[in-house]
Amino acid sequence: MKKAIYPGTFDPITFGHIDLIKKSLNIFDQVIVAVSDGNTKNYLFNAEEREQLIKKALFNDLKFNRKKIIVTTFKTLTTDFCKKKKANVIIRGLRATSDFEYEFQLAGMNKKLNSLVETVFLMSDPENQIISSKFVKEIANLGGDINRFVTKYTVKQLKNRYKWKKLFIYL
């Protein structure tokens, strides 16, 4: 069975991420969506919440096949996680040329850490290339319409999170 790891923060998962998962499923028998639980970012949702968001988005909202997609969190180097899951491919997304340099360096470092791991770069469809979790969160925080960027469940969770954050600011 050919499987690949699609690592990321997914804070939150967007249609850009989902587009890459769909494309990955055309190439691999199984895709492991690996939610990074690293402490280097200030996340809106913790790792367990992000894992649940992804599961609800993929399996409830979009009815993806649960046998072909595994969603889990990890706290290690991605290359170590690949070893643990017996996967030798890392999926990375490219939206624009500005992504390429960082992703190129990351792929090189991963290759140095584990020479058996290959990185496959995929691009989402043009209508999804502009979507970023950062912009989705900013739009949601300011009360904008994010329905074109994330699934229904994710919209609901973002609205709830920002509603509570605003309540605490006013208290």
Side-chain angles (χ1 to χ4, degrees), residues 111-122:
K111 191 69 169 173
K112 288 283 188 190
L113 291 169
N114 184 340
S115 63
L116 301 175
V117 172
E118 296 295 338
T119 300
V120 173
F121 297 107
L122 297 174

Side-chain angles (χ1 to χ4, degrees), residues 55-66:
K55 287 178 178 178
K56 298 278 189 184
L58 296 179
F59 305 131
N60 293 15
D61 288 345
L62 300 173
K63 310 296 186 216
F64 275 74
N65 183 342
R66 291 175 185 266

Side-chain angles (χ1 to χ4, degrees), residues 28-47:
F28 301 97
D29 299 318
Q30 188 176 65
V31 175
I32 300 170
V33 179
V35 180
S36 174
D37 193 13
N39 296 325
T40 60
K41 288 189 176 181
N42 186 16
Y43 300 114
L44 181 61
F45 298 101
N46 68 40

Side-chain angles (χ1 to χ4, degrees), residues 59-115:
F59 305 131
N60 293 15
D61 288 345
L62 300 173
K63 310 296 186 216
F64 275 74
N65 183 342
R66 291 175 185 266
K67 293 177 184 167
K68 295 184 73 66
I69 302 170
I70 306 293
V71 182
T72 188
T73 61
F74 74 108
K75 288 185 180 190
T76 65
L77 290 170
T78 304
T79 52
D80 291 343
F81 187 70
C82 287
K83 254 188 243 178
K84 178 181 175 185
K85 295 296 182 179
K86 296 178 175 50
N88 63 347
V89 176
I90 297 171
I91 301 293
R92 296 297 294 173
L94 294 174
R95 288 181 299 222
T97 54
S98 57
D99 291 340
F100 181 75
E101 187 159 336
Y102 170 78
E103 294 295 344
F104 179 79
Q105 289 176 357
L106 182 60
M109 288 302 291
N110 285 335
K111 191 69 169 173
K112 288 283 188 190
L113 291 169
N114 184 340
S115 63

Side-chain angles (χ1 to χ4, degrees), residues 8-22:
T9 55
F10 306 105
D11 188 37
I13 189 167
T14 68
F15 285 135
H17 297 123
I18 293 165
D19 195 8
L20 293 183
I21 293 167
K22 285 181 189 175

